[in-house]
Amino acid sequence: MKCHRVNELIELIHPAWQKDPDLNLIQFLQKLADEAGFTGPLAELTDDVLIYHLKMRDSKSTEAIPGLKKDYEEDFKTALLRARGILKD
């Protein structure tokens, strides 16, 4: 895991864990894994799952996933023209 990912994970997990101070770290990670729908062993839980789940945890189910939102276009025609390089930013 790269250093910036460790920092990002700590920044995201700290405020979330403060809401459940009675849980130890492993219990809290298991809770996050369960919420995210991860069914494998906790040792196989990736940082990606934790980061994206923590980012989306308190958002509406209709909100765009971070990272994909920057590429979002309201209509298909604009998206197609931009992808073909006809439209520029």
Side-chain angles (χ1 to χ4, degrees), residues 20-86:
D20 287 311
D22 55 320
L23 300 178
N24 66 41
L25 179 59
I26 300 301
Q27 290 171 327
F28 187 66
L29 291 175
Q30 185 64 59
K31 179 180 177 177
L32 292 174
D34 292 343
E35 288 176 5
F38 182 79
T39 58
L42 197 56
E44 294 177 7
L45 182 64
T46 65
D47 55 325
D48 290 330
V49 170
L50 290 172
I51 289 170
Y52 281 105
H53 178 65
L54 286 165
K55 284 183 177 182
M56 299 298 293
R57 189 175 190 207
D58 295 325
S59 63
K60 296 178 185 174
S61 63
T62 57
E63 284 188 38
I65 297 171
L68 296 180
K69 191 173 187 174
K70 65 179 176 55
D71 297 327
Y72 180 76
E73 291 289 346
E74 281 294 325
D75 65 297
F76 181 74
K77 181 180 177 182
T78 303
L80 188 60
L81 293 173
R82 195 174 309 280
R84 291 187 177 173
I86 296 169

